[in-house]
Amino acid sequence: SQTIHQWPATLVQPVGSPLSLECTVEGTSNPNLYWYRQAAGRGLQLLFYSVGIGQISSEVPQNLSASRPQDRQFILSSKKLLLSDSGFYLCAWSADTGQSNQPQHFGDGTRLSIL
Amino acid sequence: SQQGEEDPQALSIQEGENATMNCSYKTSINNLQWYRQNSGRGLVHLILIRSNEREKHSGRLRVTLDTSKKSSSLLITASRAADTASYFCATDGSYKLIFGSGTRLLVRP
């Protein structure tokens, strides 16, 4: 069965520090991968998605970047965090069938607090 | 841009009652999905309904889709305290989903 791992679960970082959040998927090949951010009590904002190694699409211009160094690994990074980067970050995967009707499967998220 | 908008934003019901949540969207879709999120956790996929379907059931869940009105509803029958969560609709775009802002459901024991 497929599983998705996301870590760390919580993170407290000072303004201006770097960030690296990691997400890995097991039990499937060539998944579509996604990074979302969720503000408290709000919906999900898609940040990045990837349909293959090295292929990253950015949805929102911002202080963050994403990379996919391996088929089932998706990393969210920042060189210098801003206060506005605080939030709940979720990684998700879906099967790559070339169709848009696949369910997405989410990790348990990382709660990032910037001080 | 946000495609789906859920209504109401919050809903409080007694255990055993039915809960109905609505979702409206703006552009044509191929399918619409509903997800559930427990507090502080990731989202869990509940059900997918295709644009050529009008109704779909899964256990105590019933989803309807009206493409002429660009709306969908999620009905949870005989609610339980464990159904307390936020519920989101999501519409499809190329390789990605666009989520609404969610309905927060509280089921009182």
Side-chain angles (χ1 to χ4, degrees):
Chain A
S1 64
Q2 302 91 356
T3 55
I4 179 168
H5 302 280
Q6 192 180 340
W7 69 91
T10 59
L11 190 59
V12 180
Q13 292 283 103
V15 170
S17 63
L19 172 74
S20 181
L21 300 181
E22 189 162 343
C23 173
T24 59
V25 180
E26 296 177 357
T28 187
S29 296
N30 196 33
N32 295 328
L33 296 171
Y34 308 86
W35 277 112
Y36 292 90
R37 178 168 58 203
Q38 185 178 31
R42 303 293 297 275
L44 276 68
Q45 179 187 35
L46 179 63
L47 301 176
F48 301 95
Y49 69 96
S50 172
V51 299
I53 295 175
Q55 300 179 59
I56 309 293
S57 296
S58 174
E59 289 294 299
V60 182
Q62 60 205 325
N63 187 39
L64 302 170
S65 62
S67 61
R68 185 171 178 173
Q70 300 180 44
D71 180 43
R72 291 168 288 178
Q73 184 185 28
F74 206 23
I75 297 172
L76 183 69
S77 304
S78 174
K79 292 181 180 178
K80 278 188 174 183
L81 286 167
L82 306 173
L83 283 174
S84 58
D85 291 323
S86 291
F88 190 48
Y89 288 82
L90 289 158
C91 181
W93 73 272
S94 67
D96 178 25
T97 63
Q99 299 176 18
S100 64
N101 61 352
Q102 296 304 306
Q104 291 188 11
H105 308 277
F106 286 78
D108 280 336
T110 294
R111 187 159 305 281
L112 176 63
S113 299
I114 310 299
L115 303 179
Chain B
S1 62
Q2 210 148 30
Q3 164 78 307
E5 290 293 338
E6 290 88 344
D7 170 63
Q9 291 186 333
L11 181 61
S12 179
I13 60 173
Q14 202 72 35
E15 199 165 29
E17 294 179 339
N18 295 341
T20 300
M21 290 158 268
N22 303 297
C23 170
S24 59
Y25 56 92
K26 297 174 184 175
T27 61
S28 297
I29 60 170
N30 294 314
N31 67 78
L32 185 143
Q33 302 181 33
W34 284 91
Y35 289 78
R36 165 196 170 121
Q37 183 182 32
N38 286 16
S39 181
R41 303 297 297 275
L43 278 70
V44 175
H45 179 260
L46 295 176
I47 198 164
L48 180 153
I49 186 166
R50 303 182 195 283
S51 60
N52 61 354
E53 298 176 310
R54 292 296 168 259
E55 188 170 312
K56 203 161 183 180
H57 296 256
S58 177
R60 292 183 296 112
L61 305 180
R62 173 181 167 240
V63 169
T64 62
L65 179 64
D66 187 335
T67 53
S68 67
K69 295 181 179 178
K70 293 187 169 58
S71 68
S72 174
S73 67
L74 171 66
L75 169 68
I76 304 175
T77 60
S79 64
R80 306 166 182 169
D83 294 328
T84 294
S86 292
Y87 292 82
F88 296 88
C89 67
T91 51
D92 66 306
S94 177
Y95 290 107
K96 58 188 179 183
L97 294 175
I98 303 172
F99 287 84
S101 53
T103 292
R104 295 187 304 280
L105 174 65
L106 171 65
V107 181
R108 304 187 305 274

